[in-house]
Amino acid sequence: MFNEPVKTPAEAEQVLKDHLPDDTIIKEVLKQKGETVYNKLSEKFSKSYPLEDKGGFSIVYKRNEENKIFAVTLTIGHKKTE
């Protein structure tokens, strides 16, 4: 949960930057079930979780009725195209 809802994924990334490895990059962006999935990579993450999709994780931003981002779901491993 964010302390205050934010408007864009870029703003959410700024809030998350202190909580994710500093070498995190976006591998791909997918649309699934009306949500945008950001599959990300981090070499530092892969050293901590070497068996989990080669350092990959997925982020989905949760939006409220005002279309503002209020929370994030982080999943270890990449989501696949459905």
Side-chain angles (χ1 to χ4, degrees):
M1 294 287 257
F2 294 115
N3 291 335
E4 296 288 327
V6 296
K7 293 179 183 179
T8 66
E11 288 178 61
E13 290 286 326
Q14 284 299 319
V15 174
L16 291 175
K17 75 178 183 176
D18 292 334
H19 303 283
L20 298 175
D22 59 5
D23 67 337
T24 300
I25 61 166
I26 296 173
K27 178 184 176 196
E28 65 184 336
V29 179
L30 306 172
K31 294 285 187 184
Q32 289 186 347
K33 299 177 186 174
E35 295 182 318
T36 303
V37 177
Y38 297 86
N39 284 331
K40 298 188 172 214
L41 289 173
S42 163
E43 188 172 326
K44 291 178 181 179
F45 187 85
S46 70
K47 290 177 182 174
S48 297
Y49 301 95
L51 302 177
E52 298 296 339
D53 198 22
K54 299 181 177 113
F57 55 95
S58 297
I59 289 182
V60 176
Y61 297 111
K62 300 297 181 183
R63 294 184 179 269
N64 63 18
E65 59 279 346
E66 298 164 343
N67 203 32
K68 291 185 179 178
I69 299 168
F70 70 93
V72 63
T73 301
L74 187 142
T75 306
I76 295 174
H78 286 151
K79 297 227 179 186
K80 308 292 184 215
T81 304
E82 294 182 341

